[in-house]
Amino acid sequence: MSKAHIIGLGKSGVAAARLLKKNGWEVELSDRNTSDSLQQQKQQLTQEGIAVKLDYSFEPETSLDLVVVSPGVPWDVPALQRSRETGIETIGEMELAWRYLKSCSWVGITGTNGKTTTTALTAAIFKTAGLYAPACGNIGYAACELALSETPPDWVIAEVSSYQIESSNTLSPQIAVWTTFTPDHLSRHYSLENYFNIKAGLLNRSQIQILNGDDYYLRQNATNLWHNTYWTSTQGKANLVGDVAKGIYIEDEWVVALGERIIPVESLQMLGNHNQQNLLMAVAVAKLAGIEKEAIAEGVKNFSGVPHRLEYICSWNGVNFINDSKATNYDAAAVGLRAVPAPVLLIAGGKAKEGNDHDWLRQIKEKVVFVLLIGDAAEFLAKRLQKINFRHYEIVENMERAVIRGAALSKKYDAKVVLLSPACASFDQYQNFEQRGDNFRQLSLALNQKKR
């Protein structure tokens, strides 16, 4: 019997273990952490015949035939390097799912920012068209969960991060989408060129490529890489890259795709120019997949957005509280600021990431009346604000104090919006950005309960 080791007891790792077990493998699953919830998972999986090792750092063994890596595990850690050097096949969970779902059509959506909304909207359009095409990968299901399903999907709509591409050397979607490209994850990928090449690898293996023509870096560096590329632009037909007949763009407040008017832009419920870019890419996928424009239009009209990305939470004394916890880097946070009306009271901070903060700081100077800083990055971000002579900030350390203080200061400064858009990762105080956004939502809703 072939033997596999899966690293990481998260959703994707557990799904990978169950998929391999179902297909006759001897499976063990490990995690460096230990907790009550992990112990409960261990009991359940042990009953299913899957061995689980907690508080365990993986080391390759000659008895292994396969190692499967969860997305959060760096691809170049020494143990994985040794695994590959000794000839043990080492892949990511997304690659494993691909091997069992090759008979399905795939859409692979990647990019620094915008991929979650594009993936969710694409899946919503396909569902409206009557197709079984759930979102998976970084959102929705783990990809291996779909491979475990008794009913195979009509399409797999996968949000694919650079981490997942890096560990998936044969994943080859029918349609690949590249939403944006800005510096991110450089502590893991080391250089912008390496990060770019990892993303490009997914499109190299795809039959059709869809790219955001409003993204400066893609426009400068990806125009001649593929022959079957469809470009989008919110700036009209005149701003398209390449063949107009293959363009998806906005003209006279309408979305036009491959020469056909599809839907008025006002049908989209989400704020911001960046969401119009996401809309164009989702419409492009749907058109190229053969979905009728009536289903596309209905899917767009009924789509209200994704949690944690410019998510409206509530109104308190006329001030809107908006959750943009998914803005985990400067570029995403700058996009969030551009999308909301001024004046803004901003909550920012967390675990700092490398990147260029110039646009973010410029948006703060233009639209923000006060900044509340939380988490490990608070002191660092305070210095960045001082450098641009922005003095209206306060270090409040945690989310509870930020929401309470934000409510009080919003009246003093006549803010229209209290915006959580951290520009930082969440791992200093939370397990993930979802947990951070949920905390903000809970605390914001509690303001109205106190008012009653």
Side-chain angles (χ1 to χ4, degrees):
M1 182 183 290
S2 299
K3 184 176 180 181
H5 186 102
I6 293 92
I7 305 172
L9 200 59
K11 181 170 64 174
S12 60
V14 170
R18 285 175 169 152
L19 179 59
L20 287 168
K21 179 67 178 176
K22 180 181 177 181
N23 284 277
W25 287 70
E26 179 185 348
V27 181
E28 61 183 17
L29 182 60
S30 70
D31 200 291
R32 294 176 63 182
N33 300 306
T34 184
S35 66
D36 290 344
S37 63
L38 289 178
Q39 291 289 351
Q40 291 173 1
Q41 279 187 284
K42 177 179 178 177
Q43 287 183 343
Q44 174 62 43
L45 291 164
T46 301
Q47 291 173 3
E48 297 175 27
I50 297 170
V52 177
K53 298 178 178 179
L54 298 179
D55 194 21
Y56 175 82
S57 294
F58 169 73
E59 282 297 330
E61 303 170 6
T62 54
S63 61
L64 290 175
D65 300 286
L66 179 67
V67 174
V68 180
V69 184
S70 297
V73 180
W75 189 237
D76 61 352
V77 295
L80 290 181
Q81 289 180 336
R82 288 193 292 273
S83 176
R84 293 191 289 271
E85 288 166 0
T86 55
I88 302 169
E89 187 176 22
T90 306
I91 62 172
E93 180 263 345
M94 184 71 74
E95 171 75 11
L96 180 66
W98 162 254
R99 295 181 180 188
Y100 284 95
L101 290 170
K102 280 185 180 180
S103 60
C104 303
S105 297
W106 279 63
V107 178
I109 299 170
T110 195
T112 309
N113 296 308
K115 56 186 180 291
T116 296
T117 300
T118 303
T119 302
L121 178 54
T122 301
I125 293 170
F126 278 56
K127 183 178 180 180
T128 303
L131 296 167
Y132 176 44
C136 71
N138 267 14
I139 63 169
Y141 295 95
C144 281
E145 286 183 284
L146 297 184
L148 279 164
S149 172
E150 296 299 324
T151 305
D154 298 309
W155 284 80
V156 177
I157 312 294
E159 178 185 336
V160 193
S161 71
S162 57
Y163 299 176
Q164 290 163 317
I165 298 170
E166 194 174 33
S167 59
S168 301
N169 60 355
T170 70
L171 173 61
S172 306
Q174 275 70 24
I175 302 172
V177 180
W178 197 338
T179 60
T180 55
F181 186 78
T182 53
D184 198 14
H185 306 303
L186 297 187
S187 60
R188 174 150 165 174
H189 298 314
Y190 306 115
S191 72
L192 193 64
E193 181 182 16
N194 191 40
Y195 179 41
F196 181 89
N197 289 336
I198 289 168
K199 294 281 192 190
L202 181 71
L203 282 81
N204 288 340
R205 297 190 298 271
S206 302
Q207 296 174 21
I208 296 171
Q209 297 81 24
I210 299 169
L211 279 82
N212 174 9
D214 295 333
D215 183 275
Y216 176 80
Y217 200 95
L218 294 179
R219 202 176 177 101
Q220 295 297 312
N221 295 278
T223 52
N224 298 311
L225 294 183
W226 304 284
H227 297 298
N228 200 19
T229 305
Y230 294 76
W231 287 88
T232 69
S233 179
T234 62
Q235 306 303 311
K237 181 166 58 176
N239 196 55
L240 280 172
V241 178
D243 185 355
V244 171
K246 295 172 72 174
I248 304 91
Y249 55 94
I250 293 174
E251 195 83 53
D252 299 327
E253 299 300 315
W254 275 78
V255 173
V256 181
L258 315 184
E260 182 180 21
R261 296 217 305 180
I262 304 296
I263 189 172
V265 175
E266 65 182 15
S267 298
L268 184 68
Q269 296 184 42
M270 297 178 291
L271 296 168
N273 178 264
H274 68 289
N275 277 322
Q276 293 182 9
Q277 294 170 345
N278 298 334
L279 167 65
L280 291 178
M281 289 178 282
V283 169
V285 172
K287 280 290 291 180
L288 291 167
I291 293 175
E292 298 292 332
K293 74 172 186 178
E294 291 79 12
I296 298 173
E298 185 180 349
V300 171
K301 286 177 185 176
N302 294 331
F303 184 73
S304 58
V306 296
H308 312 294
R309 192 62 176 124
L310 291 170
E311 175 192 11
Y312 171 80
I313 301 299
C314 64
S315 180
W316 179 85
N317 287 344
V319 180
N320 290 333
F321 282 66
I322 294 179
N323 168 23
D324 197 32
S325 181
K326 197 175 189 306
T328 59
N329 56 52
Y330 296 119
D331 292 296
V335 166
L337 281 170
R338 276 196 292 271
V340 299
V344 179
L345 192 144
L346 175 66
I347 300 172
K351 185 175 177 60
K353 293 171 98 173
E354 293 182 37
N356 186 330
D357 63 1
H358 293 170
D359 187 30
W360 180 67
L361 292 171
R362 184 166 58 249
Q363 294 297 322
I364 288 174
K365 287 190 77 170
E366 290 179 3
K367 301 189 74 170
V368 174
V369 290
F370 206 92
V371 180
L372 295 167
L373 297 170
I374 63 173
D376 289 353
E379 294 282 357
F380 170 74
L381 294 180
K383 291 176 182 175
R384 296 301 297 160
L385 294 174
Q386 290 168 17
K387 191 164 184 178
I388 61 168
N389 294 315
F390 188 95
R391 304 295 176 182
H392 290 173
Y393 70 85
E394 186 177 318
I395 295 175
V396 292
E397 297 179 355
N398 62 50
M399 190 69 74
E400 183 176 13
R401 292 177 64 185
V403 170
I404 292 170
R405 189 78 175 123
L409 290 172
S410 66
K411 292 198 294 184
K412 178 180 177 180
Y413 288 94
D414 293 323
K416 291 184 178 179
V417 172
V418 172
L419 173 68
L420 169 66
S421 193
C424 293
S426 58
F427 305 124
D428 57 333
Q429 295 178 321
Y430 299 94
Q431 290 183 354
N432 47 49
F433 72 80
E434 292 97 339
Q435 189 184 69
R436 176 171 63 189
D438 289 341
N439 189 209
F440 174 78
R441 182 191 297 109
Q442 177 187 18
L443 292 165
S444 299
L445 292 172
L447 292 171
N448 280 320
Q449 292 174 350
K450 289 176 184 176
K451 190 169 69 172
R452 295 192 191 102

